[in-house]
Amino acid sequence: MIEVKNLVKDYGKHHAVKDISFSVPEGQIVGLLGPNGAGKSTTMNIITGYISATSGEVKIGGYDIFEEPLMAKKLIGYLPEIPPLYEDMTVEEYLNFVCDLKGIRKKEEKNSSIQEVTEAVKISDIRGRLIKNLSKGYRQRVGLAQALIGNPPLLILDEPTVGLDPNQIIEIRSLIKSLGKKHTIILSSHILSEVNAVCDYVLIIDKGSLVAEDTPENLSEHFSKNDRISMSVKGEKEAVEEVLRASSHIKEYRITGEKEGIVDVEAQTPSGKDVRDDLFFEFAEQKLPIIKMERENLSLEDVFLKLTGQDAQTVESEAEKATEKIEKQRHFHFRKKKKEKGEEE
């Protein structure tokens, strides 16, 4: 669905995007992850045709976004970081307006399209309400509805949950996952847990470069220290330690806990070898059941730290700052509109 090859975007001497290449197949939800200033929004703006690239190639459904922009853009539904809403319109009026912009002008086709998208994002019951009177969560749903008008196969969502409360975030994440059954989706986010919960595949960008890409599970596996293992064994501590000392598959170990006949162990094993089967049979021979055994796996947050030098707390803090900035911009535009109408006190 998306083919990006050797994408470069320079602003004078500043390299916002540095030779990025990746592809997104149909039917996949892909997360674009990175700290502030990494190049996520720039990359998404180029993919949508909003800004040009210094060099490189972007194809949407086989159409070059630079050579055949109209054909490529017909395949895209875009939700920018600040949803493009006209707050003095009702939801119905706004979606009618979006239909006009997208060339859907027949009344029957308009009505069918609006009904379809409002049902998809669960806003059918608020079609007659003014957008300015809606909660942030509902405004985000209206933004998603405009992106869905025309049933584009590709949805591009820039920070889709910024500014929402926890309940609204859960609702929007669930909505995105359901949309992923019928659309290819690429979304950017500061929120690591969001990418982990929603996305099938992850692209990590740092300082304009693509530093890693894979499924969240494979990234965790690849960067984990697979020579570390943790176990919970049912039995006496002395008997468990006897097996650990005798095993050729354990280089060193330590007992981390003992409660109600369960002994918790952390151990180091020979690197590059999965010895879980061997350990299972060694303990089974001594009639010591292993209740739990797993190799150490890094979370997506830990992988992000390794690749970008930023931890989860820093990124979450940046997300909060971005939210505050967006809210200030929204408040400024709202006050400006009221002032123009003579409503400002």
Side-chain angles (χ1 to χ4, degrees), residues 73-105:
K73 289 177 183 180
K74 284 181 179 180
L75 304 178
I76 301 172
Y78 181 39
L79 177 63
E81 194 170 2
I82 301 176
L85 306 177
Y86 290 93
E87 297 183 345
D88 291 327
M89 288 182 175
T90 65
V91 174
E92 181 95 28
E93 290 168 342
Y94 174 67
L95 294 179
N96 265 285
F97 171 65
V98 174
C99 284
D100 290 336
L101 292 178
K102 294 191 176 185
I104 302 171
R105 295 189 171 87

Side-chain angles (χ1 to χ4, degrees), residues 1-68:
M1 177 53 69
I2 302 176
E3 290 285 343
V4 176
K5 294 181 181 178
N6 307 116
L7 192 64
V8 174
K9 180 62 177 178
D10 296 332
Y11 294 100
K13 295 182 179 180
H14 174 63
H15 306 298
V17 177
K18 305 174 185 176
D19 198 28
I20 287 179
S21 298
F22 63 86
S23 62
V24 178
E26 288 187 16
Q28 200 169 55
I29 303 177
V30 174
L32 198 58
L33 184 62
N36 271 342
K40 302 189 304 298
S41 291
T42 301
T43 301
M44 297 183 89
N45 285 335
I46 293 172
I47 291 173
T48 60
Y50 183 68
I51 61 174
S52 63
T54 302
S55 62
E57 183 180 272
V58 176
K59 288 187 177 181
I60 309 296
Y63 295 106
D64 191 304
I65 194 69
F66 309 123
E67 302 293 332
E68 305 167 282

Side-chain angles (χ1 to χ4, degrees), residues 77-243:
Y78 181 39
L79 177 63
E81 194 170 2
I82 301 176
L85 306 177
Y86 290 93
E87 297 183 345
D88 291 327
M89 288 182 175
T90 65
V91 174
E92 181 95 28
E93 290 168 342
Y94 174 67
L95 294 179
N96 265 285
F97 171 65
V98 174
C99 284
D100 290 336
L101 292 178
K102 294 191 176 185
I104 302 171
R105 295 189 171 87
K106 291 182 180 179
K107 187 175 181 180
E108 297 80 7
E109 194 177 353
K110 266 189 183 182
N111 291 338
S112 174
S113 183
I114 291 172
Q115 181 176 345
E116 184 179 341
V117 299
T118 53
E119 287 177 357
V121 302
K122 297 180 173 60
I123 57 170
S124 298
D125 56 337
I126 62 162
R127 287 170 60 165
R129 293 182 59 183
L130 287 172
I131 292 173
K132 67 182 178 183
N133 294 331
L134 299 179
S135 68
K136 293 175 189 174
Y138 272 115
R139 291 185 190 188
Q140 203 72 358
R141 287 174 183 267
V142 175
L144 277 169
Q146 68 80 25
L148 285 167
I149 290 287
N151 195 31
L154 172 64
L155 296 178
I156 297 181
L157 315 176
D158 194 358
E159 302 284 355
T161 62
V162 165
L164 304 184
D165 66 36
N167 288 329
Q168 292 167 338
I169 288 173
I170 292 170
E171 291 173 357
I172 295 297
R173 285 181 186 173
S174 176
L175 178 56
I176 291 170
K177 290 198 78 170
S178 68
L179 291 172
K181 296 175 183 178
K182 295 182 179 179
H183 302 267
T184 302
I185 299 175
I186 181 167
L187 66 89
S188 73
S189 182
H190 289 81
I191 305 171
L192 306 175
S193 57
E194 178 167 277
V195 172
N196 202 31
V198 174
C199 299
D200 307 311
Y201 200 82
V202 180
L203 304 168
I204 300 180
I205 293 179
D206 185 43
K207 298 174 184 175
S209 299
L210 184 64
V211 293
E213 60 173 307
D214 211 326
T215 64
E217 296 80 11
N218 286 346
L219 284 172
S220 296
E221 177 74 16
H222 178 74
F223 288 96
S224 293
K225 296 177 181 178
N226 289 325
D227 59 346
R228 305 294 300 181
I229 199 166
S230 63
M231 295 183 290
S232 294
V233 185
K234 188 175 183 180
E236 297 292 331
K237 178 182 175 184
E238 292 76 12
V240 172
E241 287 199 270
E242 186 176 338
V243 176

